[in-house]
Structure formats: C-alpha cells, structure tokens
Amino acid sequence: MFIQKNLWLLLPIFSLNIAITLASDPDPLQDFCIPNPTFASIKTHHTFHTILPCKNTSQVTTNDFIFSNMKTSGNFSEIGLAVIPANPTNFPGLNTLGMSFARTDIEVGGINPPHFHPRATELIHVIQGKMYSGFVDSNNRVFARILEQGEVMVFPRGLVHFMMNVGDEDVTLFGSFNSQNPGLQKIPSAVFGSGIDEELLQKAFGLSSKQIGTMKRKLDPKQER
Ligand SMILES: *[C@@H]1O[C@H](CO)[C@@H](O)[C@H](O)[C@H]1NC(C)=O
Ligand SMILES: *[C@@H]1O[C@H](CO)[C@@H](O)[C@H](O)[C@H]1NC(C)=O
C-alpha cells in the first residue's frame, strides 16, 4: 500500500524527466561529426545546425576542433555590444555535440538588451569588468544584481535575460550553451522590429502611432543610421 502510494507520487517526476530528456539536443552517434564542406551551401542559412552529413574522418584535422576568432572582441554595435558566437556554422568541431559558446564584450554604459534562447540554458563567466546582469522567470520575478570579474551566472533555458556595463572599463564575458543551436530572440526587435500589426502594438503597449514609429525605426535594421 505504502509503495503503491509512493509510486503515484513519483509519476509526475518521471514524466518531467522524460520532458527534459526530449528537450535537449540529440546524443551523438559517433565520436564527432565534422560537417562535410560539400554541403557548405546549407551552412550559410542561419537555421543550419540540424543534421548534416559528416566528413570522412580521414579528412578531419585538429583545427576542426579549435576556434581562434575570439581572442579579441568583435565590433561594437550602437548599443555598445559585441558578440562573437561559436557554433557549428563557424566552429565545425561542435557539430552534434550539443553545445555552443560565445564571447560578449560590452562597452562602458552599453547593454545586451533583454533576449532569450529558446533551446538552451546559458552559463556565463565574467572575465573582466562589472555589469548588472539578470533574468526574469515566468512569474515576472527578476533575479538580478551586479556581477564582478570572476563571477558565474546561469540563465535558465528560455528565460529572458539582460546585461548592462555599470563599471568603468569594457566588460568581457564568455557564455556556454547546452545546445549547438540555442536560438536567439531579442525582445525589442521581436516586438517592434518584426512587422506585427501596428494597431495591436498600440493597444498592447498604450503607445501612439508616432511612438510605435519611433520604436520601429530604432529597431528596423533596414532603417539603421
Ligand atoms: C574515407 O577515407 C579513407 C581514406 O581516404 C577511404 O579509404 C575510405 O573509403 C573513406 N570512407 C568513406 C566512407 O568514404
Ligand atoms: C569588424 O569590422 C571590420 C571592418 O568592417 C571587419 O573587417 C571585421 O571582420 C569585423 N570583425 C568582426 C569580428 O566581425
């Protein structure tokens, strides 16, 4: 009787585990799978990272497992942000391994606007600078504070997170993702830069047509100054 009762209690836990397992990248079927460059045209499409044929292992070299393009920061955008992602599109060795990586630099006063990764939890390590950093859970509770050099923070999968340099030097941080294709949705551009009907945006945010226009101009890459 006791055991039976407890088994029922465990059922939701089992189903939760199954959901978690199905949510991650598939397990590799071989040691590694360096994408075959014969199919390089597929790689130029940003939704690549699904399944690509592997190179013959005899053609695989050490350099396929090394990424050398994040020794220095990328180019800073208008909001003081420079991100260099490393995923199978530019770092072939990661393919099928269920992980990816990024270097982020933020200028003094710069921000990484609220965004989320639908398919990955992100673990960041601040190696220089001081930044206000946090995320929002699905009850709209904010978990945020100032991180200093050496600190590590985790942004749970699918939750909105953000950063702002509040120090007096550039922030440099590295982030790892438990998916080779974490996905990225920036809240400002998803809302104002995506082409959602303007009347809906006015009603949703209580903004005038003019204010919506301002937001759209700010976020539409085609109209960038
Ligand atoms: C891989 O390359 C080796 C050496 O060139 C060759 O012997 C082998 O047949 C190739 N395998 C496939 C599946 O093409
Ligand atoms: C930064 O911009 C320069 C000049 O446009 C370009 O040559 C370089 O590749 C860019 N660097 C990165 C990491 O995108």
Side-chain angles (χ1 to χ4, degrees):
M1 186 60 199
F2 178 80
I3 290 171
Q4 222 170 11
K5 205 170 141 197
N6 279 279
L7 273 179
W8 280 110
L9 284 175
L10 284 174
L11 256 180
I13 297 170
F14 286 143
S15 24
L16 192 70
N17 273 333
I18 290 164
I20 289 165
T21 307
L22 293 176
S24 58
D25 285 7
D27 277 336
L29 298 174
Q30 59 282 305
D31 289 350
F32 46 79
C33 171
I34 307 306
N36 190 329
T38 311
F39 300 88
S41 60
I42 308 171
K43 286 204 277 181
T44 59
H45 194 261
H46 69 280
T47 54
F48 156 80
H49 324 270
T50 45
I51 296 162
L52 275 184
C54 316
K55 243 189 204 179
N56 185 327
T57 53
S58 67
Q59 323 256 270
V60 172
T61 68
T62 304
N63 283 342
D64 285 323
F65 302 98
I66 296 171
F67 184 80
S68 304
N69 296 333
M70 37 172 93
K71 294 178 190 166
T72 56
S73 83
N75 294 320
F76 289 98
S77 70
E78 243 177 59
I79 53 173
L81 177 70
V83 181
I84 304 176
N87 54 50
T89 58
N90 57 1
F91 187 3
L94 283 179
N95 191 41
T96 73
L97 300 183
M99 302 182 74
S100 51
F101 199 61
R103 172 180 173 143
T104 300
D105 293 83
I106 310 173
E107 286 176 321
V108 175
I111 63 164
N112 191 353
H115 67 277
F116 67 95
H117 309 285
R119 290 177 290 276
T121 289
E122 179 176 7
L123 198 55
I124 59 154
H125 182 206
V126 182
I127 63 157
Q128 179 186 287
K130 212 161 113 175
M131 65 172 185
Y132 171 71
S133 169
F135 69 89
V136 185
D137 76 3
S138 54
N139 292 316
N140 287 335
R141 181 169 169 203
V142 178
F143 297 84
R145 76 158 164 82
I146 291 170
L147 297 186
E148 303 200 334
Q149 183 179 338
E151 289 191 296
V152 171
M153 185 167 190
V154 63
F155 303 128
R157 178 183 154 137
L159 298 187
V160 171
H161 53 276
F162 46 81
M163 303 156 189
M164 178 167 64
N165 186 338
V166 294
D168 50 18
E169 61 181 334
D170 286 0
V171 159
T172 300
L173 63 110
F174 289 91
S176 61
F177 303 87
N178 67 338
S179 168
Q180 73 175 48
N181 186 18
L184 166 65
Q185 254 188 313
K186 297 180 185 173
I187 303 298
S189 35
V191 174
F192 294 104
S194 62
I196 297 177
D197 184 84
E198 209 176 298
E199 184 184 345
L200 185 147
L201 293 177
Q202 287 174 26
K203 289 177 176 168
F205 295 96
L207 296 175
S208 70
S209 175
K210 198 177 161 199
Q211 287 167 320
I212 300 277
T214 307
M215 298 299 287
K216 281 188 164 173
R217 269 194 305 282
K218 199 171 152 65
L219 291 160
D220 185 350
K222 291 189 289 288
Q223 297 186 34
E224 221 152 62
R225 290 133 291 181

